[in-house]
Amino acid sequence: MTDDIAGLDGVGAAAGGEGRRGRGGASARRAARTQSGSGPKLTYITRRIPEYEVLNEEGISLIEANADTVLEEIGIEFRDDPEALAMWREAGADVKENRVRFPKGLCRELLKTAPRTFTQHARNPANNVQIGGKATVFAPVYGPPFVRDLDGKRRYATIEDFRNIVKLAYMAPAIHHSGGTVCEPVDIPVNKRHLDMVHAHMRYSDKPFMGSVTAPERAVDTVEMCRILFGEKFVDENTVVINLINANSPMTFDGTMLGALKVYARANQACIVTPFILAGAMSPVTVAGTLTQVLAEVLAGAAFTQLCRKGAPVVFGTFASSISMQSGAPTFGTPEPSLVSLGAAQLARRLGLPFRTGGSLCASKVPDAQAAYESANTLNSTLLAGTNFVLHAAGWLEGGLATCYEKFIMDCDQLGMMQRFSEGVDLSENGQALSAIREVGPGSHFLGCAHTQANFQTAFYRSTIADNNSYEQWLAEGEQRAENRANALCRKWLETYEAPALDAGIEEGLTAFIRRRKESEPDAFA
């Protein structure tokens, strides 16, 4: 989506030798396009393509019935949280020690108060996003302790890396959300780093963001910082932060996640209840068995948000990967997790909840062909599933152990393609292009016709990473691989980054709060 006509040179080259004239100019324009910045921001996706469904009515009903059996006969454990157990007992569940068994229909009845869609507000209202319905929101990688930096080194992440990734996500046109733990800054004490991470999202971006869930008190800090940023009344009445609540699969929620869930749900903030599953180790090896467990875990966790506060926004999440049955290592981009994502999306729509899955996932250690294939396979099924919130959309490497600068840029390029694909087929008068067909007629070409000239700026998605020039031109430009071009573009983005304006009083309030909280307890690195 660029505003020059350089792309027509490539068409000429494909048709014959004519396009080779003036290639220096085309190359210069391409270089300017890929190095001058990130381009115009795109709003969250409103999909105009249908969802791809892998389950028929019989299959969906079977998995729903099996999940009800799991909930009623086997149950879900709610560990280290007596309050949660008491709340379930009062709601009519059968509670014995940590095990909660649910009468058929109880969880679904509770979830009737959860919204089908909701808005997550950003400090810049132009960047608000819809979660649910036909909307798709792309958010960056979440959780890696390592980074692969622009010098090709794999090392522990720092707060500087964290801020850099937030800046890149802010600049990336097809990233709609700042994300959460885009990497784990290990140079800051464990008990205090959440303050710097949340502050980075608030200070270096004006897109929506995620909160801390690593301890209930850190969730409290996140909510308090949101109240400073947005105002207490606004936070109570609106969703301004979304959070990842993982089930400790199989069929367990631990006290840490439950504590964070209670804080956010009671504050009217959104929880993504997500079973974290490596199939074969944390769920059955079959797609249907995994879907049954996923649905049971989500029903229990999501329904609990409504016990905390009726109407609290909640998202049906799933993160499902297969494993190597030889080594036990997680695998990505394989068919079975895609089938789980597609099936879980159908279950979420039946339940009336927004859906989260997928991203640009891979097991590769570097941004190579394996990374590209596995990420593309995961991302395509994520989009076709009709996913509403896509975590790990950019930057994921090494099975989630590393955030990679170069891959972040390469993934963002793919996200732009997915955004264009989601627009579907233009059937307007311009899209039908009958005027062009009439003008050109048999045996000629469309390069110079009026319709082409009127549409060339936006007719086709134009990659900022791919090289479509001739082999000779590629040699002349230094034999650059995709990751080399991504490296250069990443450096340029960071060089040209400008922070969005933030009210000085709000910034002062945030820094004062962070200072008080850090001074209130000693550093802890474990």
Side-chain angles (χ1 to χ4, degrees), residues 303-326:
F304 185 62
T305 66
Q306 302 307 293
L307 292 182
C308 296
R309 177 168 173 167
K310 290 182 179 180
V314 61
V315 177
F316 184 130
T318 184
F319 180 97
S321 174
S322 52
I323 64 170
S324 166
M325 300 309 291
Q326 288 71 45

Side-chain angles (χ1 to χ4, degrees), residues 109-415:
E109 184 64 28
L110 290 171
L111 282 169
K112 287 181 179 179
T113 58
R116 299 183 72 91
T117 65
F118 61 91
T119 296
Q120 184 185 353
H121 293 264
R123 70 176 177 92
N124 177 359
N127 291 328
N128 292 352
V129 294
Q130 177 182 307
I131 310 293
K134 298 293 286 186
T136 292
V137 174
F138 289 139
V141 61
Y142 184 108
F146 298 100
V147 296
R148 178 166 287 275
D149 65 23
L150 289 171
D151 295 320
K153 296 178 181 178
R154 180 189 186 270
R155 54 175 174 76
Y156 280 109
T158 66
I159 191 61
E160 182 182 4
D161 294 308
F162 189 99
R163 290 167 179 158
N164 281 343
I165 300 300
V166 169
K167 292 174 183 178
L168 293 173
Y170 167 69
M171 296 185 74
I175 291 281
H176 316 111
H177 200 281
S178 195
T181 308
V182 294
C183 61
E184 190 76 32
V186 301
D187 55 334
I188 299 177
V190 170
N191 60 329
K192 299 179 181 180
R193 65 181 60 152
H194 66 286
L195 298 164
D196 296 279
M197 291 192 289
V198 173
H199 182 238
H201 286 298
M202 293 177 167
R203 179 66 189 91
Y204 298 106
S205 177
D206 59 6
K207 294 181 180 181
F209 56 89
M210 303 177 74
S212 177
V213 296
T214 51
E217 59 271 20
R218 296 168 198 168
V220 171
D221 286 341
T222 301
V223 173
E224 288 303 314
M225 292 175 72
C226 287
R227 287 170 176 154
I228 294 170
L229 182 64
F230 291 95
E232 187 169 349
K233 186 174 186 293
F234 190 87
V235 170
D236 186 61
E237 296 175 353
N238 299 277
T239 300
V240 301
V241 66
I242 193 168
N243 314 278
L244 181 61
I245 305 297
N246 280 129
N248 191 356
S249 302
M251 295 168 284
T252 302
F253 287 90
D254 61 40
T256 298
M257 290 289 100
L258 290 171
L261 180 153
K262 289 188 293 186
V263 169
Y264 286 121
R266 286 167 174 165
N268 196 35
Q269 303 309 305
C271 294
I272 309 171
V273 177
T274 301
F276 180 87
I277 286 177
L278 301 179
M282 301 158 74
S283 77
V285 295
T286 63
V287 171
T290 297
L291 283 172
T292 295
Q293 184 181 312
V294 164
L295 179 56
E297 292 176 1
V298 171
L299 280 167
F304 185 62
T305 66
Q306 302 307 293
L307 292 182
C308 296
R309 177 168 173 167
K310 290 182 179 180
V314 61
V315 177
F316 184 130
T318 184
F319 180 97
S321 174
S322 52
I323 64 170
S324 166
M325 300 309 291
Q326 288 71 45
S327 69
T331 56
F332 298 93
T334 52
E336 296 82 8
S338 291
L339 291 170
V340 171
S341 293
L342 292 162
Q346 290 181 252
L347 295 168
R349 286 192 289 274
R350 290 261 288 211
L351 199 54
L353 294 179
F355 180 64
R356 171 258 159 158
T357 194
S360 299
L361 310 182
C362 69
S364 184
K365 314 307 177 285
V366 293
D368 60 3
Q370 178 186 340
Y373 278 120
E374 292 177 353
S375 294
N377 284 343
T378 308
L379 187 60
N380 283 333
S381 61
T382 296
L383 185 71
L384 292 175
T387 305
N388 301 118
F389 189 84
V390 182
L391 199 54
H392 313 305
W396 169 293
L397 201 65
E398 200 183 325
L401 287 176
T403 298
C404 177
Y405 282 77
E406 292 165 347
K407 187 167 182 292
F408 188 96
I409 298 296
M410 296 164 74
D411 288 340
C412 286
D413 189 53
Q414 294 297 305
L415 298 182

